[in-house]
């Protein structure tokens, strides 16, 4: 299986309409396999698993064909992903329920589509207003946008950019450093490449820090902030759901003696600076709300470490109504934390740190839902702008004499 649509199926005559329809996924971050696209009313697709794994759910492709003609899509192997559900999620609707795909004519503005899961296949339908339409599980974050944004950040006064290591396929693991304070704050994202919410979140956070207001100035004078925007660049270029180029789930590599090079790069850089605060940005396929959790129940955990997290939650909620504090850990917090996961490993290795896991949704949120866009790049961006407030408060708390 390959990330691209099978070449022999790239051009399919649309006999019913007398015009060609073309489905393409052979671009960076693209993902789909065409089974049969000869009829716009019955376009049959499969989602290939990440190389060497059973992980699948990210899809991202472009359709060229006549506007105004109903397209009905079926992802035939959707249910294959359900055997890898996280434990204790039986009471949570799985990833294909209530999770409409998004469509866009310009790659910038994305709207949700109607959809249906029949127990095996996932179907959605659309009448395009333009000849070329993009379809994806969630708004993709184009590599060229990431490169341009990194350039813009690196050109700003007081920001340095360095490669802290190389990915499996030799791509740079980029890190931005800004601020001048003695505390070491970290924000990392995209261990799981398809969770693009983290990229939009970081744009919001960094834009505020680069045009600083009072909260941003307070944070940057109390702390030095290290940001790793994309821990898994190979996985993203391949259009993977969760794995790196070697088929490894990076968020199960942190406690290994010889972890994947992407994790080794971040871990080593953290060892050099120390960590007072870390936010690890993810997105969850099933949840219908923004969720954050401290590294509770790691061996170095003490009940006193809960208070700073609760303060962080309250301050974030004041800054953005999409953050609702006090959510329970989905399925119950494990009695023993899994130290192979980044935020737990960090919270244990740096016992005085506040280490937080962030999960944004793919689905729409239960509170303040938006039927047109669902949880969106714009909402993720706003959540990232807002996180500067609780981070500044945490830096102030740690700076108290
Ligand atoms: Zn994740």
């Amino acid at each position: 299986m390959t990330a691209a649509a099978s070449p022999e199926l790239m051009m399919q005559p649309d006999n019913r309409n007398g015009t060609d329809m073309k489905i393409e996924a052979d671009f960076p971050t693209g993902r789909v396999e065409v089974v049969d696209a000869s009829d716009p009313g019955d376009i049959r697709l499969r989602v290939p698993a990440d190389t060497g794994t059973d992980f699948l759910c990210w899809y991202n492709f472009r359709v060229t064909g006549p506007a105004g003609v109903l397209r009905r899509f079926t992802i035939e192997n959707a249910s294959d992903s359900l055997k890898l559900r996280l434990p204790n999620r039986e009471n949570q609707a799985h990833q294909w329920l209530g999770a409409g795909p998004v469509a866009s004519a310009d790659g910038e503005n994305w709207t949700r589509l109607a959809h249906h899961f029949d127990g095996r296949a996932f179907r959605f339908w659309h009448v395009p207003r333009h000849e070329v339409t993009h379809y994806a599980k969630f708004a993709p974050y184009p590599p060229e946008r990431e490169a341009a944004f990194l350039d813009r950040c690196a050109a700003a006064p007081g920001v340095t950019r360095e490669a802290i290591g190389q990915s499996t396929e030799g791509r740079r693991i980029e890190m931005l450093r800004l601020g001048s304070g003695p505390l070491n704050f970290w924000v990392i994202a995209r261990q799981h490449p398809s969770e693009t919410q983290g990229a939009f979140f970081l744009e919001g956070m960094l834009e505020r820090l680069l045009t600083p207001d009072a909260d941003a100035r307070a944070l940057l004078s109390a702390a030095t902030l290290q940001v790793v925007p994309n821990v898994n660049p190979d996985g993203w270029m391949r259009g993977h759901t969760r794995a790196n180029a070697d088929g490894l789930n990076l968020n199960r590599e942190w406690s290994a003696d010889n972890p994947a090079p992407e994790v080794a790069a971040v871990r080593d850089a953290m060892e050099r600076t120390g960590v007072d605060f870390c936010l690890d940005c993810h997105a969850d396929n099933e949840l219908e709300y923004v969720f954050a959790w401290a590294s509770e129940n790691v061996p170095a955990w003490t009940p006193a470490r809960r208070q700073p997290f609760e303060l962080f939650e309250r301050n974030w909620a004041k800054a953005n109504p999409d953050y609702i504090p006090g959510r329970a850990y989905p399925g119950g917090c494990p009695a023993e934390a899994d130290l192979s996961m980044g935020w737990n490993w960090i919270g244990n290795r740096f016992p005085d740190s506040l280490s937080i896991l962030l999960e944004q949704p793919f689905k729409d949120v239960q509170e303040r839902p938006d039927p047109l866009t669902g949880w969106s790049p714009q909402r993720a961006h706003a959540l990232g702008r807002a996180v500067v407030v609780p981070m500044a408060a945490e830096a102030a708390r740690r700076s108290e004499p």
Side-chain angles (χ1 to χ4, degrees):
M1 286 193 290
T2 67
S6 309
E8 67 272 20
L9 293 171
M10 299 282 275
M11 292 286 289
Q12 289 284 350
D14 174 6
N15 297 326
R16 205 176 57 172
N17 297 285
T19 49
D20 287 341
M21 186 171 65
K22 189 166 69 169
I23 299 182
E24 296 165 289
D26 59 342
F27 51 86
T29 81
R31 197 89 176 158
V32 92
E33 246 180 30
V34 178
V35 178
D36 185 352
S38 56
D39 176 1
D42 183 21
I43 301 167
R44 290 188 285 125
L45 307 169
R46 291 176 60 82
V47 178
D50 295 359
T51 307
T53 77
D54 290 328
F55 298 131
L56 67 92
C57 73
W58 175 255
Y59 51 92
N60 178 20
F61 58 94
R62 180 170 60 222
V63 179
T64 306
V69 176
L70 173 67
R71 296 172 183 165
R72 279 200 199 87
F73 299 91
T74 301
I75 296 178
E76 295 186 329
N77 65 332
S79 65
D80 288 356
S81 67
L82 299 180
K83 60 189 173 203
L84 291 178
R85 285 190 81 186
L86 294 169
N88 306 317
R89 292 285 190 97
E90 294 79 9
N91 295 328
Q92 185 75 43
H94 65 64
Q95 67 179 64
W96 300 102
L97 296 172
V102 288
S104 173
D106 59 8
E108 287 283 327
N109 299 291
W110 297 83
T111 51
R112 295 269 159 161
L113 302 182
H115 58 277
H116 174 70
F117 180 75
D118 67 6
R120 171 77 196 156
F122 182 68
R123 297 175 212 283
F124 55 95
W125 44 95
H126 185 222
V127 179
R129 288 193 292 140
H130 302 87
E131 283 203 350
V132 180
T133 310
H134 305 260
Y135 300 92
K137 177 176 167 62
F138 190 84
Y141 189 72
E144 54 275 22
R145 176 168 170 169
E146 179 178 328
F149 185 67
L150 280 172
D151 287 347
R152 187 149 65 88
C153 290
V159 179
T160 60
R161 170 190 189 171
E162 63 178 285
I164 54 171
Q166 283 199 345
S167 68
T168 302
E169 294 183 313
R171 293 190 174 87
R172 289 164 60 94
I173 308 294
E174 301 268 10
M175 187 182 81
L176 298 171
R177 178 180 280 127
L178 53 166
S180 55
L183 296 167
N184 274 293
F185 275 37
W186 282 79
V187 181
I188 66 174
R190 313 288 303 287
Q191 292 195 70
H192 298 140
S194 63
E195 298 166 8
T196 59
Q197 293 89 333
F200 297 110
F201 176 91
L202 283 188
E203 276 197 3
M205 183 192 82
L206 284 164
E207 282 172 6
R208 183 167 183 176
L209 292 171
L210 296 181
T211 319
D213 56 9
D215 287 304
R217 278 198 194 89
L219 172 58
L220 294 177
S221 62
T224 300
L225 177 61
Q226 280 82 207
V227 182
V228 183
N230 188 351
V231 179
N232 192 349
D234 297 349
W236 182 227
M237 291 301 276
R238 289 162 169 256
H240 276 186
T241 293
R242 282 171 83 79
N244 76 349
D246 273 340
L248 294 171
N249 178 353
L250 296 183
N251 206 27
R252 299 296 184 277
E253 286 284 300
W254 286 72
S255 56
D257 288 338
N258 290 301
E262 295 87 352
V263 169
V266 181
R267 227 174 59 169
D268 292 351
M270 286 179 169
E271 293 284 3
R272 289 195 290 274
T273 64
V275 178
D276 295 297
F277 169 89
C278 184
L279 184 68
D280 183 7
C281 303
H282 289 261
D284 188 287
N285 279 313
E286 297 181 341
L287 302 181
E288 294 161 89
Y289 46 83
V290 176
F291 173 74
W293 195 257
S295 54
E296 205 164 304
N297 296 345
V298 298
W301 179 258
T302 61
R305 294 176 71 183
R306 179 130 201 110
Q307 225 172 357
F309 174 64
E310 289 174 352
L311 180 64
F312 190 91
E313 286 204 289
R314 288 197 298 276
N315 284 326
W316 203 352
K318 274 188 235 162
N320 185 315
D322 281 332
Y323 190 81
I324 297 171
R327 300 279 190 193
Y329 194 97
C333 182
E336 279 183 36
D338 181 348
L339 295 181
S340 71
M341 299 167 85
W343 104 102
N344 280 332
W345 183 87
I346 294 161
N348 195 56
R349 173 66 187 86
F350 304 99
D352 294 327
S353 69
L354 175 58
S355 178
I356 298 175
L357 166 74
L358 167 65
E359 299 280 3
Q360 294 181 67
F362 281 89
K363 298 179 180 178
D364 200 1
V365 282
Q366 289 163 340
E367 298 183 52
R368 305 179 72 237
D370 185 332
L372 186 63
T373 64
W375 186 253
S376 63
Q378 290 77 13
R379 300 277 282 269
H381 187 278
L383 190 70
R385 273 194 78 81
V387 81
V388 170
V389 173
M391 285 172 69
E394 172 64 6
R397 188 188 69 81
R398 286 177 178 270
S399 304
E400 281 166 11

